[in-house]
Amino acid sequence: MTQDFAPQPLAFDVAARLAEIDQKKLRAWRLQRLRQELARRDYAGCLLADPINIRYATGSRNMQIWTMHAPSRWAFVPTEGPVVLYEFSSTRHVK
């Protein structure tokens, strides 16, 4: 016997919840936490290849599922200075 499952609305408004988040402040806080940890360990920086780590450190989320299977994006996060995101040349418009 098969059952039809109708999608049920969420108990909260997703768009309203997302609108409450200050994305710029969140990205700055995450980068600050990463840099504090790098400094605590006396590292000059880190090279990130995992798309989840890149998203956490930079806020960039270009083709996350694809790059989990075919690594092709990297981010260099120095303890001090600008973050460098190595991106597909055809997706410069993204970041």
Side-chain angles (χ1 to χ4, degrees):
M1 178 179 354
T2 63
Q3 248 182 332
D4 291 324
F5 291 100
Q8 299 297 313
L10 295 175
F12 57 91
D13 183 353
V14 174
R17 297 274 304 265
L18 288 174
E20 294 175 5
I21 299 170
D22 184 340
Q23 294 291 329
K24 188 174 181 179
K25 186 175 179 180
L26 177 62
R27 284 190 300 271
W29 177 78
R30 288 176 172 174
L31 181 58
Q32 177 188 14
R33 281 188 63 194
L34 175 57
R35 286 184 160 158
Q36 285 173 343
E37 189 62 25
L38 291 170
R40 187 181 76 76
R41 295 172 182 258
D42 197 27
Y43 291 168
C46 64
L47 182 62
L48 305 173
D50 185 286
I52 295 169
N53 293 336
I54 292 171
R55 169 112 189 246
Y56 182 92
T58 69
S60 173
R61 58 181 189 241
N62 187 23
M63 302 187 302
Q64 279 185 276
I65 302 300
W66 170 258
T67 57
M68 289 175 83
H69 302 288
S72 47
R73 297 177 73 226
W74 298 271
F76 175 69
V77 180
T79 303
E80 295 179 12
V83 174
V84 178
L85 180 61
Y86 299 90
E87 183 64 271
F88 290 97
S89 61
S90 62
T91 58
R92 281 187 232 160
H93 65 282
V94 177
K95 288 287 169 213

